[in-house]
Amino acid sequence: MFESDSVRYLKGVGERRAALLEKLKIYTVGDLINYYPRDYSDRSSPKMLSEVSDGEVCAVIATVTRRYNEKFIRKGMTVYSAVAADDKGILLKITIFNSIYTAKLLTEGARLLFYGKVTKKLDHCEMTSPVIENINQGKRIHPIYKLTEGLTSNYIERLVSSALNLLPETLYDPVPEWVRTEQNLCHIRFAIENIHKPADMHSLKLARDRLIFDELLYMSLGISMIKGRNKGENLCKIANSHNDEFWGLMPFTPTGAQKRASEEIITDMSKAHPMSRLVQGDVGSGKTAVAAAACYTAAKNGYQCAVMAPTEILARQHYSSFCKTLEKTGITPALLIGSMTAAQKRKVYEKLASGEIQVLIGTHALIAEKVEFKKLGLVITDEQHRVGVRQRAALFAKGTNPHILVMSATPIPRTLALIIYGDLDISVLDEMPPGRQKIDTYAVDSGKRARALGYLKKHIDMGRQGYIVCPLVEDGESELISAVSYFEDLSKSELAGYRVGLLHGKMKAAEKDKVMAGFAAGEIDILVATTVIEVGVDVPNAVIMIIENAERFGLSQLHQLRGRVGRGEHKSTCILISDAKNDTAVKRMEVMCRTNDGFEISNQDLALRGPGDFLGERQHGLPELKIADFAENMDVMRNAQHIAQTILGSDPKLEKKENLGLASEVKRLFADIAGGIS
Ligand code: ADP
Ligand code: MG
């Protein structure tokens, strides 16, 4: 099979160039063929100079009317200039630096294609250092490849051409014919040729459509296959639902979405395989109660549950809300966090092993070796992207095939969620508890800080509380200094006379807890905090949030921060302070002021940041996409998922002859992933 041959077999690739190609991750002829251009320059339909606008980059055909002359400016700098005219007689002045080789093309009467930026003058046009080609070669769509120093796009183009020439006459298409027909896709050979050397824009589109679909199809197939793998047997089967009973115990009626999610969870836990489910909901949508509902039914069926939160503050908060909820139900929750004394921990270990504790809530302290459950049936991780896949796995290992429930507060489009959390089923909490009011959001510059603080104080005087998020400093030590000095300044000046608390990441856990408890109890009016409050903190009486240096935060993070207010009956306000004037910052502020909808905000975030950045760490574990784009190709993704389900429905391991090509493509795409697909 020639695709797996080293690029060294191609003409013009020696040791040095092979090393450069390796930098681009091109090792084999197949890698080269799959190295798609990052962009194209369309020189296929040259323009008349009269229709070109000033500064436009385009191709023009013109005939040289005055051959080049040569001018030495100084040592090492020679300027060549010539004049040409297009077919309507408009003059084009060409200037070239140093390259006698290019200049020599400019002989009188030569009809050439010039590609570059056109500057319009009163009675003529000019081009400096254009690409100059003879018309036959030049008049087409040129691929532009991503490069590394020492390689030119032209070189890669030539190399790709010679690789394409080696393709067998009848190239095997890995995607079954019925799929191609149903999805209106071109043949793989056409796609590969036209992605590199497009015959025209339409062919390029066909090629892109085909290759994008392929990539998303292989991705969907791979994810589904991983999902189906090692599912194991459900050894913690839930026989009876206690869901209605649970919601009856709550002080509020569940939203439709909460009820639905909790039912999905309980149904999952009674199936043949253990549950792996993600509950996704915007800040304040009531995920904690859904988690508690799951624990309630699991515990009533005789299983223990573990709830892991990313911070001690959150773990404590969950613990106290579980205590309230489960009071008098005969279910015993307990807390386990690093800052507890050895004696306190030992007591928890004992009661856990004996089965006396049914719901254990804590931080990563839960995965300590000494933690042994009697009968762990359900593992819940809150705010999953902060908990970490490895910790989730360690907790999972404390049971025998326990059910897994992940709670995430980053609302992302469903299709995207299916990818990022590929191995999980998804419930969406798309409905807010009743009575929530929109959080009014304002963006102001630092000149209005005094007014913002005045507004805050007015609300404190009425008995409310508020947050001020400190200026963000990147590195650890200075974060501490800046938070402390900022807090001290404020408490001495503008906020003198108010009860102000400080919360930052470098405080000892016990200190943090004390501050948080004081704030929750209303003993602190204003909490000055770093982003440690971003996750989950729930104090309904807090109604104002001021965010300093708002431009330093990403959209999703601003949304999470803002979610700390607007959690109770009172109207809440968020004030973003920023002096930044750049486009992205201004856009972010606009979006924040316009909407409270987490799904819309994450879509905007996706658009502003680009999916690579947006997915960042969270995408880890999935293959890199070469040509498809999750954000842009959402519809294709949906189709691909649908087709993948159909294919796997009748051939779960891709063993049928018509699916063998798919199997090997999926394997290749997932080759770098832990475990791969076999
Ligand atoms: P999040 O989804 O951000 O984790 P929480 O679970 O912290 O949200 O819930 C936010 C607040 O809403 C809590 O104070 C909680 O008690 C309250 N809440 C949750 N569900 C409902 C409901 N159905 N009706 C009224 N209030 C609710
Ligand atoms: Mg929460």
Side-chain angles (χ1 to χ4, degrees), residues 11 18 57 64 102 254 305 457 463 571 597 604 613 654:
K11 219 176 110 206
V57 175
V64 178
T102 312
C305 311
K457 287 190 277 192
K571 180 84 185 163
D597 178 346
Q604 293 288 342
D613 202 12
L654 300 181

Side-chain angles (χ1 to χ4, degrees), residues 228-245:
R229 177 180 71 176
N230 299 336
K231 261 262 171 162
E233 193 188 338
N234 183 358
L235 300 171
C236 311
K237 248 189 199 156
I238 299 297
N240 303 303
S241 171
H242 294 259
N243 207 30
D244 293 338
E245 195 179 306

Side-chain angles (χ1 to χ4, degrees), residues 1 4-5 26 65 155 167 220 222 275 339 341 348 354-355 406 491 577 596 621 637 643:
M1 179 64 177
S4 52
D5 286 348
I26 300 172
T65 53
Y155 172 73
L167 285 179
S220 304
M275 162 174 77
S339 60
T341 65
V348 171
S354 70
V406 175
S491 345
I577 300 183
N596 275 203
M637 184 66 209
I643 298 275

Side-chain angles (χ1 to χ4, degrees), residues 527-544:
L527 190 59
V528 174
T530 59
T531 50
V532 291
I533 57 151
E534 177 194 342
V535 179
V537 170
D538 185 31
V539 177
N541 190 46
V543 297
I544 311 283

